[in-house]
Amino acid sequence: MTVTGPDFIALQVRDLDRAAAFYEDRLGLRRAPVSPPGAVVFATSPVPFAVREPLPGTDLDALDRPAGGVVLWLHAEDAQALHDSLDGAGVPIVTSPFDSPFGRTFTFADPDGYAVTVHDKR
């Protein structure tokens, strides 16, 4: 038995509607045609990405920072343009844009405090 890699990624969020709107309006993600109850799945590839209500027993407010040890990277066609748009909208920028082996790269904090890194090299 061998695991072949990530197949689905979801973030637990405090306010599902607010989080879904952020990822739609600020990052341009499109909703998938079908999502399970309590979640919004986006039509991302190669791995579907979603925001969802917290699992029973999960208290996001009790954490210093959600997913403190997990790093989420997203690909964008133009990381600098996305940075400029997010920064202009007042989205907290955790790491300013810089050139890396993965292209232009920066990190922002989403409405729940998740640090999300964006790069633009495929």
Side-chain angles (χ1 to χ4, degrees):
M1 289 193 248
T2 302
V3 172
T4 59
D7 191 50
F8 190 84
I9 296 171
L11 298 179
Q12 297 181 84
V13 298
R14 291 174 183 87
D15 182 326
L16 184 60
D17 293 332
R18 178 185 72 166
F22 174 83
Y23 282 97
E24 285 179 305
D25 299 342
R26 297 290 173 213
L27 274 62
L29 297 183
R30 293 180 343 269
R31 289 182 188 223
V34 177
S35 293
V40 173
V41 178
F42 297 100
T44 56
S45 67
V47 177
F49 170 74
V51 290
R52 60 160 295 135
E53 295 172 347
L55 294 169
T58 302
D59 181 2
L60 295 175
D61 293 324
L63 304 172
D64 288 336
R65 187 180 79 154
V70 175
V71 179
L72 175 63
W73 283 58
L74 299 176
H75 176 263
E77 294 297 321
D78 185 338
Q80 184 66 54
L82 179 59
H83 164 272
D84 296 348
S85 173
L86 294 174
D87 190 44
V91 174
I93 302 300
V94 177
T95 304
S96 296
F98 64 97
D99 292 320
S100 79
F102 306 102
R104 198 71 173 153
T105 304
F106 75 98
T107 303
F108 68 89
D110 82 352
D112 285 279
Y114 289 102
V116 178
T117 298
V118 176
H119 70 100
D120 59 15
K121 184 177 179 182
R122 279 265 181 205

Short mmCIF file of all heavy atoms in Angstrom, two decimals, residues 25-66:
data_model
loop_
_atom_site.label_atom_id
_atom_site.label_comp_id
_atom_site.label_asym_id
_atom_site.label_seq_id
_atom_site.Cartn_x
_atom_site.Cartn_y
_atom_site.Cartn_z
N ASP A 25 -13.59 36.25 -3.61
CA ASP A 25 -13.44 37.65 -4.00
C ASP A 25 -11.99 38.10 -4.07
O ASP A 25 -11.63 38.89 -4.94
CB ASP A 25 -14.20 38.56 -3.02
CG ASP A 25 -15.69 38.27 -2.99
OD1 ASP A 25 -16.21 37.64 -3.94
OD2 ASP A 25 -16.35 38.67 -2.02
N ARG A 26 -11.16 37.65 -3.15
CA ARG A 26 -9.77 38.13 -3.09
C ARG A 26 -8.81 37.29 -3.91
O ARG A 26 -7.83 37.81 -4.42
CB ARG A 26 -9.29 38.20 -1.64
CG ARG A 26 -10.07 39.18 -0.80
CD ARG A 26 -9.77 40.60 -1.21
NE ARG A 26 -10.66 41.51 -0.50
CZ ARG A 26 -11.10 42.63 -1.03
NH1 ARG A 26 -10.75 42.99 -2.24
NH2 ARG A 26 -11.90 43.41 -0.34
N LEU A 27 -9.06 35.97 -4.01
CA LEU A 27 -8.14 35.11 -4.74
C LEU A 27 -8.71 34.65 -6.09
O LEU A 27 -8.00 34.07 -6.89
CB LEU A 27 -7.76 33.89 -3.90
CG LEU A 27 -6.58 34.09 -2.95
CD1 LEU A 27 -6.86 35.15 -1.91
CD2 LEU A 27 -6.16 32.81 -2.34
N GLY A 28 -9.99 34.87 -6.30
CA GLY A 28 -10.59 34.50 -7.58
C GLY A 28 -10.92 33.03 -7.73
O GLY A 28 -11.15 32.57 -8.85
N LEU A 29 -10.96 32.28 -6.62
CA LEU A 29 -11.32 30.87 -6.73
C LEU A 29 -12.79 30.73 -7.09
O LEU A 29 -13.62 31.56 -6.70
CB LEU A 29 -11.03 30.15 -5.41
CG LEU A 29 -9.57 30.11 -4.96
CD1 LEU A 29 -9.44 29.30 -3.67
CD2 LEU A 29 -8.67 29.54 -6.04
N ARG A 30 -13.10 29.66 -7.82
CA ARG A 30 -14.49 29.38 -8.21
C ARG A 30 -14.99 28.17 -7.42
O ARG A 30 -14.26 27.20 -7.24
CB ARG A 30 -14.56 29.08 -9.70
CG ARG A 30 -14.24 30.26 -10.58
CD ARG A 30 -14.33 29.92 -12.08
NE ARG A 30 -14.31 28.50 -12.41
CZ ARG A 30 -13.21 27.80 -12.68
NH1 ARG A 30 -12.04 28.35 -12.65
NH2 ARG A 30 -13.30 26.51 -12.99
N ARG A 31 -16.24 28.25 -7.01
CA ARG A 31 -16.83 27.13 -6.28
C ARG A 31 -17.02 25.93 -7.21
O ARG A 31 -17.38 26.09 -8.37
CB ARG A 31 -18.19 27.51 -5.71
CG ARG A 31 -18.11 28.49 -4.56
CD ARG A 31 -19.48 28.80 -4.00
NE ARG A 31 -19.40 29.88 -3.04
CZ ARG A 31 -20.04 29.88 -1.88
NH1 ARG A 31 -20.83 28.89 -1.55
NH2 ARG A 31 -19.90 30.90 -1.07
N ALA A 32 -16.78 24.75 -6.67
CA ALA A 32 -17.07 23.51 -7.39
C ALA A 32 -18.59 23.35 -7.46
O ALA A 32 -19.31 23.92 -6.63
CB ALA A 32 -16.43 22.33 -6.68
N PRO A 33 -19.08 22.60 -8.43
CA PRO A 33 -20.53 22.44 -8.55
C PRO A 33 -21.21 21.80 -7.35
O PRO A 33 -22.38 22.04 -7.09
CB PRO A 33 -20.71 21.56 -9.79
CG PRO A 33 -19.39 21.41 -10.42
CD PRO A 33 -18.35 21.92 -9.47
N VAL A 34 -20.47 20.98 -6.60
CA VAL A 34 -21.06 20.28 -5.45
C VAL A 34 -20.11 20.39 -4.26
O VAL A 34 -18.90 20.24 -4.41
CB VAL A 34 -21.29 18.79 -5.79
CG1 VAL A 34 -21.83 18.04 -4.58
CG2 VAL A 34 -22.21 18.63 -6.98
N SER A 35 -20.69 20.68 -3.10
CA SER A 35 -19.93 20.69 -1.84
C SER A 35 -20.72 19.94 -0.79
O SER A 35 -21.96 19.97 -0.80
CB SER A 35 -19.72 22.13 -1.35
OG SER A 35 -18.87 22.85 -2.20
N PRO A 36 -20.05 19.27 0.13
CA PRO A 36 -20.78 18.58 1.20
C PRO A 36 -21.36 19.61 2.18
O PRO A 36 -20.91 20.76 2.20
CB PRO A 36 -19.72 17.71 1.87
CG PRO A 36 -18.43 18.38 1.55
CD PRO A 36 -18.61 19.06 0.23
N PRO A 37 -22.32 19.20 3.00
CA PRO A 37 -22.86 20.12 4.00
C PRO A 37 -21.75 20.66 4.90
O PRO A 37 -20.82 19.94 5.27
CB PRO A 37 -23.83 19.25 4.81
CG PRO A 37 -24.15 18.10 3.91
CD PRO A 37 -22.93 17.88 3.06
N GLY A 38 -21.83 21.95 5.21
CA GLY A 38 -20.87 22.56 6.11
C GLY A 38 -19.53 22.89 5.48
O GLY A 38 -18.57 23.15 6.20
N ALA A 39 -19.46 22.86 4.15
CA ALA A 39 -18.20 23.14 3.48
C ALA A 39 -18.45 23.85 2.15
O ALA A 39 -19.54 23.75 1.58
CB ALA A 39 -17.43 21.85 3.22
N VAL A 40 -17.44 24.55 1.69
CA VAL A 40 -17.45 25.11 0.34
C VAL A 40 -16.18 24.60 -0.33
O VAL A 40 -15.07 24.86 0.14
CB VAL A 40 -17.46 26.65 0.35
CG1 VAL A 40 -17.29 27.21 -1.06
CG2 VAL A 40 -18.74 27.17 0.98
N VAL A 41 -16.36 23.83 -1.40
CA VAL A 41 -15.25 23.27 -2.16
C VAL A 41 -15.02 24.15 -3.38
O VAL A 41 -15.99 24.56 -4.05
CB VAL A 41 -15.52 21.82 -2.59
CG1 VAL A 41 -14.37 21.27 -3.43
CG2 VAL A 41 -15.78 20.94 -1.37
N PHE A 42 -13.75 24.43 -3.66
CA PHE A 42 -13.40 25.23 -4.83
C PHE A 42 -12.86 24.34 -5.94
O PHE A 42 -12.25 23.30 -5.67
CB PHE A 42 -12.37 26.31 -4.45
CG PHE A 42 -12.90 27.29 -3.45
CD1 PHE A 42 -12.58 27.17 -2.11
CD2 PHE A 42 -13.75 28.31 -3.84
CE1 PHE A 42 -13.08 28.06 -1.18
CE2 PHE A 42 -14.26 29.20 -2.91
CZ PHE A 42 -13.92 29.08 -1.58
N ALA A 43 -13.06 24.75 -7.17
CA ALA A 43 -12.62 23.99 -8.34
C ALA A 43 -11.16 24.30 -8.62
O ALA A 43 -10.82 24.95 -9.60
CB ALA A 43 -13.50 24.33 -9.54
N THR A 44 -10.27 23.84 -7.73
CA THR A 44 -8.83 24.04 -7.91
C THR A 44 -8.21 22.75 -8.44
O THR A 44 -8.78 21.67 -8.29
CB THR A 44 -8.16 24.42 -6.57
OG1 THR A 44 -8.46 23.41 -5.60
CG2 THR A 44 -8.67 25.77 -6.07
N SER A 45 -7.05 22.88 -9.05
CA SER A 45 -6.39 21.69 -9.55
C SER A 45 -4.89 21.84 -9.34
O SER A 45 -4.39 22.95 -9.26
CB SER A 45 -6.69 21.49 -11.03
OG SER A 45 -6.11 22.52 -11.80
N PRO A 46 -4.19 20.79 -9.13
CA PRO A 46 -4.65 19.40 -9.26
C PRO A 46 -5.35 18.86 -8.01
O PRO A 46 -5.90 17.79 -8.03
CB PRO A 46 -3.36 18.62 -9.52
CG PRO A 46 -2.32 19.38 -8.77
CD PRO A 46 -2.73 20.83 -8.89
N VAL A 47 -5.34 19.62 -6.91
CA VAL A 47 -5.93 19.15 -5.66
C VAL A 47 -7.08 20.08 -5.28
O VAL A 47 -6.90 21.30 -5.20
CB VAL A 47 -4.87 19.13 -4.53
CG1 VAL A 47 -5.49 18.72 -3.22
CG2 VAL A 47 -3.72 18.21 -4.90
N PRO A 48 -8.28 19.53 -5.03
CA PRO A 48 -9.38 20.38 -4.57
C PRO A 48 -9.06 21.01 -3.22
O PRO A 48 -8.42 20.40 -2.36
CB PRO A 48 -10.56 19.41 -4.44
CG PRO A 48 -10.19 18.23 -5.28
CD PRO A 48 -8.70 18.14 -5.21
N PHE A 49 -9.52 22.25 -3.05
CA PHE A 49 -9.32 23.02 -1.83
C PHE A 49 -10.68 23.44 -1.32
O PHE A 49 -11.57 23.77 -2.10
CB PHE A 49 -8.45 24.25 -2.14
CG PHE A 49 -8.38 25.24 -1.01
CD1 PHE A 49 -7.62 24.96 0.12
CD2 PHE A 49 -9.06 26.44 -1.08
CE1 PHE A 49 -7.55 25.88 1.16
CE2 PHE A 49 -8.99 27.36 -0.05
CZ PHE A 49 -8.24 27.08 1.07
N ALA A 50 -10.85 23.43 0.01
CA ALA A 50 -12.14 23.79 0.59
C ALA A 50 -11.96 24.53 1.90
O ALA A 50 -10.91 24.46 2.53
CB ALA A 50 -12.98 22.53 0.85
N VAL A 51 -12.99 25.25 2.29
CA VAL A 51 -13.12 25.76 3.64
C VAL A 51 -14.33 25.05 4.23
O VAL A 51 -15.29 24.74 3.53
CB VAL A 51 -13.27 27.31 3.67
CG1 VAL A 51 -11.96 27.98 3.28
CG2 VAL A 51 -14.40 27.80 2.76
N ARG A 52 -14.25 24.79 5.52
CA ARG A 52 -15.33 24.02 6.15
C ARG A 52 -15.53 24.46 7.59
O ARG A 52 -14.64 25.04 8.21
CB ARG A 52 -15.04 22.52 6.11
CG ARG A 52 -13.76 22.13 6.84
CD ARG A 52 -13.71 20.66 7.22
NE ARG A 52 -14.76 20.40 8.19
CZ ARG A 52 -15.57 19.34 8.14
NH1 ARG A 52 -15.44 18.44 7.21
NH2 ARG A 52 -16.50 19.17 9.05
N GLU A 53 -16.71 24.17 8.09
CA GLU A 53 -16.99 24.40 9.51
C GLU A 53 -16.09 23.49 10.33
O GLU A 53 -15.70 22.41 9.87
CB GLU A 53 -18.46 24.11 9.79
CG GLU A 53 -19.40 25.06 9.08
CD GLU A 53 -20.87 24.67 9.20
OE1 GLU A 53 -21.17 23.53 9.63
OE2 GLU A 53 -21.71 25.50 8.82
N PRO A 54 -15.72 23.91 11.54
CA PRO A 54 -14.85 23.08 12.36
C PRO A 54 -15.47 21.72 12.70
O PRO A 54 -16.69 21.59 12.85
CB PRO A 54 -14.67 23.90 13.64
CG PRO A 54 -14.96 25.30 13.24
CD PRO A 54 -16.02 25.20 12.17
N LEU A 55 -14.62 20.73 12.80
CA LEU A 55 -15.07 19.41 13.22
C LEU A 55 -15.51 19.48 14.68
O LEU A 55 -15.02 20.34 15.44
CB LEU A 55 -13.93 18.39 13.08
CG LEU A 55 -13.50 18.12 11.63
CD1 LEU A 55 -12.20 17.31 11.62
CD2 LEU A 55 -14.60 17.39 10.88
N PRO A 56 -16.40 18.61 15.12
CA PRO A 56 -16.82 18.61 16.53
C PRO A 56 -15.61 18.53 17.45
O PRO A 56 -14.68 17.77 17.21
CB PRO A 56 -17.70 17.36 16.64
CG PRO A 56 -18.20 17.13 15.25
CD PRO A 56 -17.08 17.57 14.35
N GLY A 57 -15.62 19.36 18.49
CA GLY A 57 -14.54 19.37 19.45
C GLY A 57 -13.39 20.29 19.08
O GLY A 57 -12.44 20.41 19.85
N THR A 58 -13.46 20.93 17.92
CA THR A 58 -12.40 21.85 17.50
C THR A 58 -12.78 23.27 17.87
O THR A 58 -13.84 23.75 17.49
CB THR A 58 -12.17 21.77 15.97
OG1 THR A 58 -11.83 20.43 15.62
CG2 THR A 58 -11.07 22.72 15.54
N ASP A 59 -11.93 23.92 18.65
CA ASP A 59 -12.16 25.30 19.07
C ASP A 59 -11.04 26.16 18.48
O ASP A 59 -9.95 26.25 19.03
CB ASP A 59 -12.17 25.40 20.59
CG ASP A 59 -12.43 26.81 21.09
OD1 ASP A 59 -12.64 27.73 20.26
OD2 ASP A 59 -12.41 27.01 22.32
N LEU A 60 -11.31 26.77 17.34
CA LEU A 60 -10.30 27.58 16.67
C LEU A 60 -9.87 28.77 17.51
O LEU A 60 -8.73 29.24 17.41
CB LEU A 60 -10.81 28.06 15.31
CG LEU A 60 -11.05 26.96 14.27
CD1 LEU A 60 -11.67 27.54 13.00
CD2 LEU A 60 -9.78 26.21 13.96
N ASP A 61 -10.76 29.27 18.36
CA ASP A 61 -10.42 30.41 19.20
C ASP A 61 -9.44 30.05 20.32
O ASP A 61 -8.80 30.92 20.90
CB ASP A 61 -11.68 31.04 19.79
CG ASP A 61 -12.54 31.67 18.72
OD1 ASP A 61 -11.97 32.24 17.76
OD2 ASP A 61 -13.78 31.58 18.82
N ALA A 62 -9.30 28.77 20.62
CA ALA A 62 -8.38 28.34 21.66
C ALA A 62 -6.95 28.21 21.15
O ALA A 62 -6.03 28.01 21.93
CB ALA A 62 -8.84 26.99 22.24
N LEU A 63 -6.77 28.34 19.85
CA LEU A 63 -5.44 28.20 19.25
C LEU A 63 -4.78 29.56 19.08
O LEU A 63 -5.43 30.54 18.76
CB LEU A 63 -5.56 27.53 17.87
CG LEU A 63 -6.28 26.18 17.84
CD1 LEU A 63 -6.49 25.74 16.40
CD2 LEU A 63 -5.47 25.15 18.60
N ASP A 64 -3.46 29.60 19.29
CA ASP A 64 -2.73 30.85 19.05
C ASP A 64 -2.81 31.23 17.57
O ASP A 64 -2.99 32.38 17.22
CB ASP A 64 -1.25 30.70 19.43
CG ASP A 64 -1.05 30.64 20.93
OD1 ASP A 64 -1.92 31.15 21.67
OD2 ASP A 64 -0.04 30.07 21.36
N ARG A 65 -2.63 30.24 16.73
CA ARG A 65 -2.71 30.45 15.29
C ARG A 65 -3.17 29.13 14.68
O ARG A 65 -2.55 28.10 14.90
CB ARG A 65 -1.35 30.84 14.72
CG ARG A 65 -1.40 31.24 13.27
CD ARG A 65 -0.04 31.62 12.78
NE ARG A 65 0.69 30.38 12.51
CZ ARG A 65 1.67 30.27 11.66
NH1 ARG A 65 2.10 31.30 11.02
NH2 ARG A 65 2.26 29.12 11.47
N PRO A 66 -4.25 29.14 13.89
CA PRO A 66 -4.71 27.89 13.30
C PRO A 66 -3.60 27.24 12.46
O PRO A 66 -2.85 27.92 11.78
CB PRO A 66 -5.88 28.29 12.41
CG PRO A 66 -6.22 29.68 12.78
CD PRO A 66 -5.04 30.28 13.46
#
